[in-house]
Amino acid sequence: MKFDIITIFPEIFDSYFSESLIKKAEDKGLIEINIHDLRDYSIEKWGDVDGKPYGGGRGMVMKVGPIYRAVKEIKNEKKCKTVLFTPRGEKYNQKKATEYSDLDQIIMICGRYEGVDERVKTQIADQSISIGDYVLIGGEIPAMVVVESVSRLVPGVVGIDNEGFLEERVIGDGMIEYPQYGRPEIFKTDEGEKWETPEVLLSGHHKKIKEWRKEHGEIIN
Ligand code: ADE
């Protein structure tokens, strides 16, 4: 699984991708993350990647040319999707993450400034994606969200044995997330309260535990 991120702020990803399970997954060769500086694909002096919008208005628009050249050069797998991040896009969810985990390459275009030339959406991207109903400054955080949510579905990336993990967590198109408790069995607060672990989880009764988790869990898709 190859993640290619096109951005004008490549350094934003340095710390995030050089730590934790994402780094381990990369070291093990389970995933590959490539960060591409959009300015490298500019053919203008100063590496300009934005310009004034036709029709007037405040702010600048990201140009179609550099993005076109970047995607053309980066795309090298058949099972590939090119995604543009925009608050106007289709809502990202667990189902999309599962769909993406079946690809060999995801090219992500991080929009910035006040917008991106519409031809990036209509001619270059396969999908426009929003990670929620709020407006961010750019698509860099959405790109991290996609890398993390897709990577954890790649076998071997999360610490636990993946087959068992999937068997336990996957229900239909979604994944069940249920409440978890660890030691101590009863936590005593300074105010004298006792915060207890539900009896059933201590019972060792697998069928009942499974039922309890289903009842108290939520299917995310
Ligand atoms: N760019 C700005 N806001 C965004 C959002 N909510 N999702 C994806 N890309 C964005």
Side-chain angles (χ1 to χ4, degrees):
M1 165 60 71
K2 214 164 9 180
F3 299 97
D4 286 278
I5 301 172
I6 302 170
T7 173
I8 55 165
F9 292 110
E11 279 107 35
I12 284 184
F13 299 93
D14 287 353
S15 129
Y16 182 72
F17 288 146
S18 61
E19 315 225 9
S20 81
L21 288 177
I22 298 294
K23 167 90 168 84
K24 277 195 191 143
E26 240 197 323
D27 290 347
K28 280 197 247 169
L30 298 171
I31 60 169
E32 183 185 314
I33 303 170
N34 304 303
I35 313 292
H36 308 273
D37 188 342
L38 185 61
R39 292 186 201 285
D40 293 343
Y41 296 90
S42 169
I43 49 171
E44 294 171 50
K45 59 176 177 179
W46 318 123
D48 281 355
V49 288
D50 63 327
K52 289 198 178 113
Y54 283 123
R58 278 169 10 131
M60 304 285 256
V61 170
M62 281 174 88
K63 288 174 181 287
V64 62
I67 296 175
Y68 166 78
R69 287 186 286 277
V71 171
K72 205 167 157 183
E73 191 180 301
I74 294 163
K75 195 171 188 164
N76 55 16
E77 294 285 349
K78 257 209 166 119
K79 262 168 84 178
C80 170
K81 274 213 191 309
T82 302
V83 174
L84 169 68
F85 293 116
T86 155
R88 285 192 290 141
E90 193 184 331
K91 205 67 57 65
Y92 189 65
N93 55 21
Q94 188 62 36
K95 199 170 168 186
K96 271 253 158 320
T98 308
E99 205 181 292
Y100 288 172
S101 69
D102 199 37
L103 297 170
D104 294 326
Q105 183 178 26
I106 308 175
I107 300 173
M108 290 170 267
I109 305 163
C110 302
R112 276 265 158 178
Y113 302 120
E114 281 73 18
V116 178
D117 189 304
E118 188 68 5
R119 286 164 290 191
V120 173
K121 176 182 169 184
T122 58
Q123 310 296 327
I124 300 174
D126 298 308
Q127 278 176 354
S128 298
I129 291 290
S130 160
I131 61 159
D133 290 332
Y134 38 79
V135 182
L136 301 165
I137 297 172
E140 283 73 14
I141 290 174
M144 292 183 204
V145 167
V146 168
V147 171
E148 182 163 323
S149 54
V150 173
S151 294
R152 68 186 282 282
L153 298 175
V154 172
V157 171
V158 281
I160 28 184
D161 143 55
N162 220 259
E163 301 253 304
F165 168 76
L166 290 179
E167 203 176 287
E168 191 192 322
R169 290 285 176 96
V170 171
I171 295 190
D173 272 347
M175 282 219 170
I176 186 161
E177 287 292 326
Y178 45 75
Q180 307 247 50
Y181 293 81
R183 281 169 190 277
E185 194 180 312
I186 299 172
F187 177 76
K188 296 191 183 102
T189 69
D190 295 343
E191 293 77 25
E193 282 181 28
K194 287 180 181 173
W195 298 350
E196 295 179 16
T197 301
E199 267 309 311
V200 61
L201 300 180
L202 309 169
S203 68
H205 195 300
H206 294 299
K207 193 161 167 270
K208 278 195 182 148
I209 292 173
K210 212 171 170 182
E211 279 165 12
W212 185 91
R213 286 178 168 166
K214 243 187 179 163
E215 193 187 326
H216 293 81
E218 203 171 319
I219 294 173
I220 316 285
N221 58 10

